[in-house]
Amino acid sequence: MYKGKVVLNKREAKNIYLLGIEVSKEILKSFNPGQFLKIKINERMDPLIPRPFSIHAVDKNVVYILYQVVGKGTKALSEIKKGETLEFLGPLGKPFPKLKNYIICAGGIGIAGFGFLLQKAIKKRSFYPPEKIFYGAKTKDELVRLSFLKSFGISVEISTDDGSKGYKGFITDLVERELREKPKIILACGPKLMLKKIKELGEKYKVKTYLVMETFLACGVGFCMGCVIPSKERNYLHLCIDGPTFLAEEIDIGFFS
Amino acid sequence: MYKGKVVLNKREAKNIYLLGIEVSKEILKSFNPGQFLKIKINERMDPLIPRPFSIHAVDKNVVYILYQVVGKGTKALSEIKKGETLEFLGPLGKPFPKLKNYIICAGGIGIAGFGFLLQKAIKKRSFYPPEKIFYGAKTKDELVRLSFLKSFGISVEISTDDGSKGYKGFITDLVERELREKPKIILACGPKLMLKKIKELGEKYKVKTYLVMETFLACGVGFCMGCVIPSKERNYLHLCIDGPTFLAEEIDIGFFS
Amino acid sequence: MDFSVKIKNLKLKTPLMLASGTWGLGENLDKFFASEEIKKNIGALVTKGISIKERKGNPPPRLFETPCGLINSIGIENPGIKEFKKNYLPKIINYGVPVIVNLYGERIEDFVELASELKEEKVDGIELNISCPNVEKGGLYFSRDPKSVSELIKEVRRVWGKFLAVKLSPVGPVFEIAEICEKCFADALVVANTYPALAVISIKPFKILQGGLSGPAIKPLTLRLVYEIANKVKIPVIGCGGIISGKDALEYLLCGAKAFQVGTANLIDPRSAIRIMQELRNFKDGLRNKSNPC
Amino acid sequence: MDFSVKIKNLKLKTPLMLASGTWGLGENLDKFFASEEIKKNIGALVTKGISIKERKGNPPPRLFETPCGLINSIGIENPGIKEFKKNYLPKIINYGVPVIVNLYGERIEDFVELASELKEEKVDGIELNISCPNVEKGGLYFSRDPKSVSELIKEVRRVWGKFLAVKLSPVGPVFEIAEICEKCFADALVVANTYPALAVISIKPFKILQGGLSGPAIKPLTLRLVYEIANKVKIPVIGCGGIISGKDALEYLLCGAKAFQVGTANLIDPRSAIRIMQELRNFKDGLRNKSNPC
Ligand SMILES: Cc1cc2nc3c(=O)[nH]c(=O)nc-3n(C[C@H](O)[C@H](O)[C@H](O)COP(=O)(O)OP(=O)(O)OC[C@H]3O[C@@H](n4cnc5c(N)ncnc54)[C@H](O)[C@@H]3O)c2cc1C
Ligand SMILES: Cc1cc2nc3c(=O)[nH]c(=O)nc-3n(C[C@H](O)[C@H](O)[C@H](O)COP(=O)(O)OP(=O)(O)OC[C@H]3O[C@@H](n4cnc5c(N)ncnc54)[C@H](O)[C@@H]3O)c2cc1C
Ligand SMILES: Cc1cc2nc3c(=O)[nH]c(=O)nc-3n(C[C@H](O)[C@H](O)[C@H](O)COP(=O)(O)O)c2cc1C
Ligand SMILES: Cc1cc2nc3c(=O)[nH]c(=O)nc-3n(C[C@H](O)[C@H](O)[C@H](O)COP(=O)(O)O)c2cc1C
Ligand code: FES
Ligand code: FES
């Protein structure tokens, strides 16, 4: 594990925080969009297992994590103060695939990992920028870092379930509208139900579809075999080493229900 | 349990911290010297059981705790920041007895509870001031709040094991010198070995001797029967309800070894 | 929302009981609860283990904290049944909720004698403690030997017609014993007592503490036992192990417990029972509002 | 300080073993350890449970965190003995420390076949897993039935002369089984596997996960088992349960274990073994400097 000083841990939206950890450039160099870190929350034993978070952005000698408070680990994380030290393991998992002519679809905190992708893509560092970003949340208050996203000059389409900002309804409605016009590769991250719908859209419009998946992880490094996602051939994929990004067609749809 | 905002949590000496919690005056009124609080360290479950600390001082609407970092609970406590909230239960235990013509003997962090006694005694609030305070520590760096103690105008005799400040040797040497001159009631708090020696001195010089005892507590309120101290009649005293201050003659000397 | 439960002939206003040994002998429960709070939140009070003669208990240390758990080795410190009846029971009965006396004996005759002593008292039930890991005799001995448990219940039943629960040990042939209790007409099973545990309290000199482990650490283990036992026997199961929150309590109820006991949580905060019941009410309300009640 | 231990004919540089199922199949151990670090710190490698045929393992969820503990229900996911020998074992052997293969079978014949398959391989020992709580057959079945264990060891001994350890379940008639293993000439006991546990992973809809509990929560329970079993049998006991620090490891050694295995700690940090051994060395040095070594 590496140790780094917390330089920022700031509330960004309802229950969503932006955490910055100081990391040597040497280590940062090995980080790729789509990968994640496993962060040890405290020195004590509850919570016991470090929690996984996507790399949200990288900036000189700081790595950023964008996280939502959902349980005891993320709650504890949100209480950590600037100046304290955190331990983390990473980068873990496989980078995003290198796509062209694709769109991004993010639901809620699923947006986190795409920040780093945009950073790299804009600098033409081995990733291409998406043609459009579709970003949905429950309500306006849960949409985060819009100005950061927009700073890349890529068009961002927004939806909220309650219509408090952007299109009223599911983000997948907007994605379908887009696909109806012109099929494009999809890279999506978000809640299970959204991913299920995206997989169905991908099949309907016959476009290659990549899903960034989630499951409870323990080791994050292929040691425990705990992070399985059923594949369609009644086999199991291991999220932490085979993922977290998977081709939608590989995944058993039953997993989403 | 009561909740209070932390207004101070400051390092005072090597491994020793002063913690201040905001408490309503109504509650503070019920606090007496010699009593203690049980402080819940965090919202998570490790450490599980709140830890007991003597009331060190009271000031308008703040209660102070003076504590030494010895294990995971006190370590975690030392990481709590100003502005956070702590939960505590108390006041617990019996107040100090109301003595006249007595001396105080404190070893190390055993000094903590006497601050409040001095505060009350100086204001003549139902306690009398001691004739002298004997205060020993391992080394100069572990002597704390000397100016606070001296502010009461009572003479303080100091010892350190290494002679870095005051008399070189055990504080009980100084106490014995005092008793040899003129027998006085003793009220003592400190490590087991010091208390054992004080008990022996009390017997030798035939003075009434009170010891403030320590043991691992769970409930602190008489629920668990876990906090026993063997008494000389092969019986058990319960520290949290019968103590923490006991007549030395009641306690089985075997307990100290 | 109505939380009352009936366990055999025992009517409880709520499914929450204070577990044996974790609220003293009731002397100062009223320091922490208003009288109405007790009646509204506490379904029943299960007393500290009571023996025939006074027991001083084990020498210190009696407690040790482990990760998310607590080891205790109290050794059934109690004043003995006669003194208990005279000086403690009246106050406990006075709290106005059903009282179950936890009985601790070393031999079958002890339990019979203890039950007889309580015949004329206004207590609502007894809980046979055959599972204390902190005593030389009795205690775990019964929990290793299904035959002796069967005899024990039969003999006690001769003198005791009211509510009778057996408090099981989580170790040993626990499923077999559960079935035997059912066959012998125990009214309920309490699942379970603490787990035999050991802590090294000093490395040099080497000192250990052997005792029973309780608290959140063991909740997943006892929850499993409750789930399996509730599937095996028809008599009511009362869950007990690591309940700290209303959610924990609800999990026990969903896993098949008819009621539950709260132990270690009382030692963390004497008013835990109030909070747990409040959380349980909120939880159930929340679930009900979503759609059908669970 | 010399930490080497001899367990029967097995010579280990340190008493630390990586426990079965908590370091994958060894494919990427070298991503986290330098080759020298492995040789200096890891006494032996105990492989994931290997069965005759490939096993896909259990459907998700396979993991759930509990207070200071982890429930797992992996279901012995492994490629089967043939594939294991071909594609995984060579790399594991190449790490240069003793290799013990954890064998998982449902019937006695399975274990015998597995042991035969390993006869010609450069492995140093086998560990019979009769204690997995996450499989339908085999697993806990043996651990409930001392007679079958005795037969199992005898049959495996016909084909396997090298080091043979039995990994016990912490539940069931564990002392009886320990004694039977000794009588049947097992070389060592591993105490213990995970504890049968249950977690409610969703209240509505009601969903549970049954699996084995490991981690610091259960350390006081397994420490007690090790202490008692080491007092009952003369064959070496290898402690396993909740070791996260050098102090935990030392406690096991002081309670009678000859060596110890580290499991869940590897999942918290893949390099935990290095830290644990370093802490253990510091501890022992510290104790030695005080006066006599412990
Ligand atoms: C590769 C990866 C990348 C991630 N990136 C991000 C990110 O960038 N930002 C972010 O906010 N989150 C991210 N997450 C999710 C994040 O890891 C979790 O939200 C976090 O671990 C929750 O921890 P907690 O202690 O707060 O919640 P917990 O208290 O552990 O639980 C939170 C919720 O998860 C449920 N849960 C826990 N364990 C299981 C299980 N085994 N099976 C089913 N349900 C379970 C609980 O019931 C509860 O509802 C990522 C997850 C993965 C796998
Ligand atoms: C009435 C009372 C008043 C107190 N007042 C103060 C005060 O004013 N200031 C202050 O600094 N401290 C005070 N203490 C002591 C303080 O409560 C402890 O230092 C604190 O609880 C330690 O918690 P921890 O989690 O940091 O240490 P832990 O990690 O719990 O352990 C610290 C040490 O205690 C040992 N220990 C733990 N449990 C037991 C046990 N059951 N038996 C034997 N040894 C055990 C451990 O091995 C370790 O060496 C008081 C104690 C009592 C009982
Ligand atoms: C300090 C203490 C004392 C206990 N005394 C008794 C007792 O006298 N009789 C008994 O049957 N159980 C006794 N128990 C066990 C509890 O009643 C309960 O079964 C156990 O602690 C598990 O529940 P918990 O995890 O909620 O604490 C005691 C437990 C503790 C912690
Ligand atoms: C994810 C996981 C997988 C495991 N797989 C196996 C296995 O295949 N065979 C086995 O005998 N034990 C297995 N175990 C049990 C461990 O080897 C070990 O006995 C147990 O986890 C207790 O030790 P710990 O508390 O240090 O983890 C597994 C444990 C975990 C957490
Ligand atoms: S989290 Fe352990 S193998 Fe993926
Ligand atoms: S600490 Fe529980 S009775 Fe004193």
Side-chain angles (χ1 to χ4, degrees):
Chain A
M1 291 215 162
Y2 300 117
K3 271 190 187 175
K5 213 170 84 182
V6 173
V7 296
L8 179 92
N9 194 13
K10 195 171 123 271
R11 192 174 172 284
E12 287 276 315
K14 204 180 141 197
N15 284 327
I16 296 183
Y17 291 74
L18 181 66
L19 171 80
I21 311 177
E22 215 170 74
V23 181
S24 86
K25 283 187 191 146
E26 211 44 56
I27 298 170
L28 280 186
K29 254 196 254 163
S30 64
F31 288 14
N32 284 297
Q35 290 188 299
F36 63 94
L37 307 179
K38 222 179 68 159
I39 301 185
K40 193 150 183 267
I41 311 280
N42 66 29
E43 285 171 66
R44 287 167 290 283
M45 289 186 244
D46 180 36
L48 183 66
I49 311 274
R51 303 291 198 247
F53 300 97
S54 308
I55 300 169
H56 169 61
V58 158
D59 181 18
K60 271 177 268 159
N61 59 342
V62 177
V63 60
Y64 293 93
I65 298 298
L66 188 70
Y67 66 95
Q68 184 171 21
V69 172
V70 299
K72 65 181 173 180
T74 45
K75 173 96 195 312
L77 196 59
S78 73
E79 289 160 6
I80 286 171
K81 301 285 178 310
K82 218 169 119 167
E84 292 183 43
T85 300
L86 275 179
E87 278 185 276
F88 67 90
L89 187 72
L92 304 173
K94 292 202 171 125
F96 290 130
K98 282 161 193 172
L99 307 172
K100 268 188 202 174
N101 305 322
Y102 69 104
I103 56 170
I104 279 176
C105 175
I109 194 66
I111 194 69
F114 296 127
F116 192 26
L117 172 62
L118 295 173
Q119 284 191 311
K120 287 265 185 187
I122 290 308
K123 293 191 195 153
K124 308 232 161 50
R125 296 261 167 81
S126 66
F127 285 86
Y128 299 92
E131 306 203 343
K132 248 188 200 170
I133 300 167
F134 293 85
Y135 176 22
K138 283 208 194 92
T139 173
K140 196 181 153 190
D141 296 346
E142 297 185 9
L143 284 166
V144 263
R145 306 213 82 204
L146 278 181
S147 56
F148 171 77
L149 290 176
K150 286 178 177 162
S151 73
F152 297 102
I154 296 162
S155 105
V156 182
E157 292 204 29
I158 300 287
S159 78
T160 50
D161 295 2
D162 63 359
S164 51
K165 177 141 189 163
Y167 169 80
K168 180 176 173 171
F170 294 134
I171 192 67
T172 44
D173 298 349
L174 300 184
V175 171
E176 176 152 25
R177 202 155 68 188
E178 182 78 11
L179 295 178
R180 235 184 272 128
E181 259 169 48
K182 194 179 154 220
K184 286 186 191 93
I185 296 172
I186 320 173
L187 175 60
C189 182
K192 259 192 182 178
L193 276 178
M194 184 197 96
L195 294 181
K196 183 180 183 203
K197 181 75 192 170
I198 290 286
K199 182 171 151 73
E200 288 162 2
L201 288 178
E203 282 161 13
K204 181 163 167 197
Y205 293 95
K206 301 202 172 52
V207 291
K208 251 203 151 44
T209 304
Y210 294 89
L211 307 178
V212 186
M213 305 288 293
E214 243 191 56
T215 180
F216 184 87
L217 298 189
C219 69
V221 300
F223 280 5
C224 71
M225 323 256 167
C227 58
V228 287
I229 309 255
S231 77
K232 57 174 198 310
E233 307 107 350
R234 307 204 138 276
N235 228 321
Y236 290 118
L237 301 162
H238 296 85
L239 183 135
C240 75
I241 43 177
D242 305 327
T245 311
F246 297 94
L247 254 179
E249 66 204 52
E250 282 177 359
I251 292 164
D252 178 3
I253 188 93
F255 179 68
F256 296 100
S257 48
Chain B
M1 289 213 164
Y2 300 117
K3 271 190 189 177
K5 212 169 82 184
V6 173
V7 295
L8 179 91
N9 194 13
K10 193 171 124 273
R11 191 176 174 282
E12 286 277 313
K14 205 181 139 196
N15 285 327
I16 296 183
Y17 291 73
L18 182 65
L19 172 79
I21 311 176
E22 215 170 74
V23 181
S24 85
K25 283 188 192 148
E26 210 44 55
I27 298 170
L28 281 186
K29 254 196 253 164
S30 63
F31 288 14
N32 284 297
Q35 291 187 300
F36 63 95
L37 308 178
K38 223 178 67 157
I39 301 186
K40 194 149 182 272
I41 312 280
N42 66 29
E43 286 171 64
R44 286 165 289 283
M45 290 186 243
D46 180 35
L48 183 67
I49 311 273
R51 302 293 198 246
F53 299 97
S54 308
I55 300 169
H56 170 61
V58 158
D59 181 18
K60 271 178 266 159
N61 59 341
V62 177
V63 60
Y64 293 93
I65 298 298
L66 188 70
Y67 66 96
Q68 183 170 21
V69 173
V70 299
K72 65 180 174 181
T74 45
K75 174 96 195 311
L77 196 59
S78 74
E79 289 161 6
I80 285 171
K81 302 282 179 309
K82 219 171 118 165
E84 293 184 42
T85 299
L86 275 179
E87 277 185 276
F88 67 89
L89 187 73
L92 305 173
K94 291 201 170 126
F96 290 131
K98 284 164 190 169
L99 306 172
K100 269 189 204 175
N101 305 322
Y102 69 106
I103 55 171
I104 280 175
C105 176
I109 194 66
I111 194 71
F114 296 127
F116 192 27
L117 172 61
L118 295 173
Q119 284 190 312
K120 287 264 186 188
I122 289 308
K123 294 192 194 150
K124 308 230 163 54
R125 296 262 167 80
S126 66
F127 285 85
Y128 299 93
E131 306 204 342
K132 247 188 201 169
I133 300 166
F134 293 85
Y135 177 22
K138 283 206 194 95
T139 174
K140 197 180 152 191
D141 296 346
E142 297 185 8
L143 283 166
V144 263
R145 306 214 83 202
L146 277 181
S147 56
F148 171 76
L149 290 177
K150 285 178 177 162
S151 73
F152 298 104
I154 296 161
S155 108
V156 181
E157 291 205 30
I158 300 287
S159 77
T160 50
D161 296 3
D162 63 358
S164 51
K165 178 141 187 164
Y167 169 79
K168 180 177 173 172
F170 293 135
I171 193 65
T172 45
D173 298 350
L174 299 184
V175 171
E176 176 152 27
R177 203 154 69 188
E178 182 78 12
L179 295 178
R180 237 186 270 128
E181 259 170 45
K182 193 178 156 222
K184 288 186 188 94
I185 295 172
I186 320 175
L187 175 60
C189 182
K192 258 190 183 179
L193 275 179
M194 184 198 94
L195 294 181
K196 183 180 184 203
K197 181 74 191 171
I198 290 286
K199 180 171 152 73
E200 287 162 2
L201 288 178
E203 281 160 13
K204 183 165 166 195
Y205 293 96
K206 303 204 171 51
V207 291
K208 252 203 149 50
T209 304
Y210 294 89
L211 307 179
V212 187
M213 306 288 292
E214 243 191 56
T215 182
F216 185 87
L217 299 189
C219 69
V221 299
F223 280 5
C224 71
M225 322 257 167
C227 59
V228 287
I229 308 253
S231 76
K232 57 174 198 311
E233 307 107 350
R234 308 205 138 275
N235 227 322
Y236 291 119
L237 300 162
H238 297 85
L239 184 135
C240 74
I241 42 176
D242 306 327
T245 311
F246 297 95
L247 254 180
E249 66 204 51
E250 282 178 1
I251 292 164
D252 178 2
I253 188 91
F255 179 67
F256 297 100
S257 48
Chain C
M1 184 158 199
D2 184 27
F3 265 98
S4 62
V5 284
K6 223 183 136 195
I7 305 184
K8 288 281 164 132
N9 52 344
L10 201 65
K11 279 185 207 142
L12 310 180
K13 276 243 184 76
T14 81
L16 182 149
M17 308 180 177
L18 296 193
S20 178
T22 63
W23 52 284
L25 288 161
E27 316 91 305
N28 52 5
L29 212 54
D30 46 1
K31 262 201 210 156
F32 301 100
F33 298 103
S35 161
E36 280 317 301
E37 285 181 319
I38 295 182
K39 287 184 194 128
K40 198 181 145 202
N41 292 286
I42 298 178
L45 291 166
V46 186
T47 73
K48 174 77 196 160
I50 304 296
S51 51
I52 295 177
K53 293 253 160 56
E54 179 189 9
R55 288 179 59 97
K56 309 267 190 201
N58 293 338
R62 290 184 175 183
L63 299 169
F64 194 83
E65 188 178 310
T66 67
C68 295
L70 179 71
I71 297 181
N72 88 77
S73 174
I74 308 298
I76 318 271
E77 177 180 335
N78 82 93
I81 186 80
K82 290 232 153 60
E83 170 76 5
F84 172 75
K85 275 164 54 176
K86 199 167 131 221
N87 286 327
Y88 297 91
L89 190 54
K91 177 155 191 179
I92 296 175
I93 289 172
N94 218 24
Y95 287 127
V97 299
V99 172
I100 297 169
V101 181
N102 179 289
L103 300 183
Y104 168 73
E106 289 172 2
R107 302 158 308 158
I108 290 177
E109 304 89 273
D110 297 347
F111 284 98
V112 174
E113 187 178 334
L114 286 163
S116 313
E117 283 276 0
L118 290 170
K119 256 175 150 170
E120 311 295 316
E121 301 290 329
K122 279 203 229 122
V123 305
D124 301 271
I126 56 176
E127 179 180 281
L128 305 180
N129 177 359
I130 57 165
S131 45
C132 180
N134 301 324
V135 286
E136 287 281 301
K137 288 184 215 164
L140 277 184
Y141 163 72
F142 285 105
S143 278
R144 290 208 190 97
D145 181 19
K147 264 224 307 282
S148 70
V149 174
S150 136
E151 221 182 302
L152 170 68
I153 301 175
K154 277 186 209 148
E155 292 299 318
V156 174
R157 265 296 181 224
R158 285 179 205 266
V159 300
W160 186 259
K162 284 194 266 185
F163 182 78
L164 184 159
V166 181
K167 184 160 180 182
L168 305 187
S169 169
V171 298
V174 37
F175 303 112
E176 212 177 319
I177 291 194
E179 279 164 355
I180 276 178
C181 291
E182 175 173 40
K183 256 198 227 120
C184 299
F185 305 108
D187 291 317
L189 298 173
V190 180
V191 179
N193 212 314
T194 53
Y195 290 72
L198 181 153
V200 174
I201 57 175
S202 159
I203 285 190
K204 201 167 174 184
F206 180 63
K207 271 193 214 159
I208 61 170
L209 174 66
Q210 296 190 263
L213 185 64
S214 64
I218 53 102
K219 194 193 78 174
L221 307 184
T222 304
L223 204 53
R224 168 95 175 234
L225 288 179
V226 164
Y227 184 82
E228 297 200 350
I229 292 174
N231 273 326
K232 279 205 170 69
V233 301
K234 282 187 205 72
I235 54 174
V237 172
I238 300 167
C240 176
I243 296 175
I244 298 283
S245 70
K247 183 156 181 276
D248 296 329
L250 183 56
E251 289 177 4
Y252 271 97
L253 297 176
L254 293 173
C255 285
K258 274 264 178 308
F260 59 89
Q261 297 187 355
V262 172
T264 304
N266 304 321
L267 311 183
I268 296 174
D269 178 356
R271 283 177 58 81
S272 290
I274 306 282
R275 182 183 44 76
I276 291 170
M277 272 312 295
Q278 194 50 54
E279 288 171 356
L280 182 58
R281 285 190 189 100
N282 294 345
F283 238 111
K284 283 235 173 178
D285 284 351
L287 290 175
R288 198 170 36 163
N289 292 346
K290 275 195 191 158
S291 57
N292 62 323
C294 74
Chain D
M1 185 157 197
D2 184 26
F3 265 99
S4 62
V5 285
K6 225 184 134 196
I7 303 184
K8 287 281 165 126
N9 52 342
L10 202 65
K11 279 184 210 143
L12 311 179
K13 278 244 187 73
T14 82
L16 182 150
M17 307 179 177
L18 296 193
S20 178
T22 63
W23 53 284
L25 288 160
E27 315 92 304
N28 52 5
L29 212 52
D30 46 1
K31 262 201 211 155
F32 301 99
F33 299 102
S35 160
E36 280 318 300
E37 285 181 319
I38 295 182
K39 287 183 193 131
K40 200 182 142 201
N41 292 286
I42 297 177
L45 291 165
V46 186
T47 73
K48 173 79 198 161
I50 304 295
S51 51
I52 295 177
K53 294 252 161 57
E54 179 190 9
R55 289 179 58 98
K56 310 265 190 201
N58 293 338
R62 291 184 175 183
L63 298 170
F64 195 83
E65 188 178 310
T66 67
C68 295
L70 179 71
I71 297 182
N72 87 78
S73 174
I74 308 297
I76 318 271
E77 177 180 335
N78 82 92
I81 186 79
K82 290 233 155 59
E83 170 76 4
F84 171 75
K85 275 164 53 176
K86 200 167 130 222
N87 286 326
Y88 297 91
L89 190 54
K91 176 155 191 180
I92 296 175
I93 289 171
N94 218 25
Y95 288 125
V97 299
V99 172
I100 297 169
V101 181
N102 179 290
L103 300 183
Y104 168 73
E106 289 173 2
R107 302 158 309 156
I108 291 177
E109 304 88 274
D110 297 348
F111 284 98
V112 173
E113 186 178 338
L114 287 163
S116 312
E117 283 276 1
L118 290 170
K119 255 174 151 172
E120 312 295 316
E121 301 291 328
K122 279 202 231 123
V123 305
D124 301 271
I126 56 176
E127 180 180 280
L128 305 180
N129 177 358
I130 57 164
S131 45
C132 180
N134 300 324
V135 286
E136 287 281 301
K137 288 184 212 162
L140 277 184
Y141 163 72
F142 286 104
S143 277
R144 290 208 189 97
D145 180 18
K147 263 221 310 280
S148 70
V149 174
S150 137
E151 222 182 301
L152 170 67
I153 302 175
K154 277 185 209 146
E155 292 299 318
V156 173
R157 264 298 182 222
R158 285 178 204 266
V159 301
W160 186 259
K162 284 194 267 185
F163 181 79
L164 183 157
V166 181
K167 184 160 180 183
L168 305 186
S169 168
V171 299
V174 38
F175 303 112
E176 212 177 320
I177 291 193
E179 279 164 355
I180 276 178
C181 291
E182 176 173 41
K183 255 197 227 122
C184 299
F185 305 107
D187 291 317
L189 298 172
V190 179
V191 178
N193 213 314
T194 53
Y195 290 71
L198 182 153
V200 175
I201 57 177
S202 159
I203 285 192
K204 199 167 178 186
F206 180 63
K207 270 194 215 161
I208 61 170
L209 174 66
Q210 296 190 264
L213 184 65
S214 64
I218 53 102
K219 194 193 78 173
L221 308 184
T222 305
L223 204 53
R224 168 96 174 234
L225 288 179
V226 165
Y227 183 82
E228 297 200 351
I229 292 174
N231 273 326
K232 279 206 170 70
V233 301
K234 280 186 207 73
I235 54 174
V237 171
I238 299 167
C240 176
I243 295 175
I244 298 283
S245 70
K247 184 156 181 275
D248 295 330
L250 184 57
E251 289 178 3
Y252 271 98
L253 297 176
L254 293 173
C255 285
K258 274 265 178 308
F260 58 89
Q261 297 187 354
V262 173
T264 304
N266 304 320
L267 310 183
I268 296 174
D269 178 355
R271 284 177 57 81
S272 289
I274 306 283
R275 182 184 44 77
I276 290 170
M277 271 314 294
Q278 194 50 55
E279 288 171 356
L280 183 58
R281 285 190 190 100
N282 293 345
F283 237 111
K284 284 234 173 177
D285 285 351
L287 291 174
R288 198 169 36 163
N289 292 344
K290 274 196 193 157
S291 58
N292 62 322
C294 73

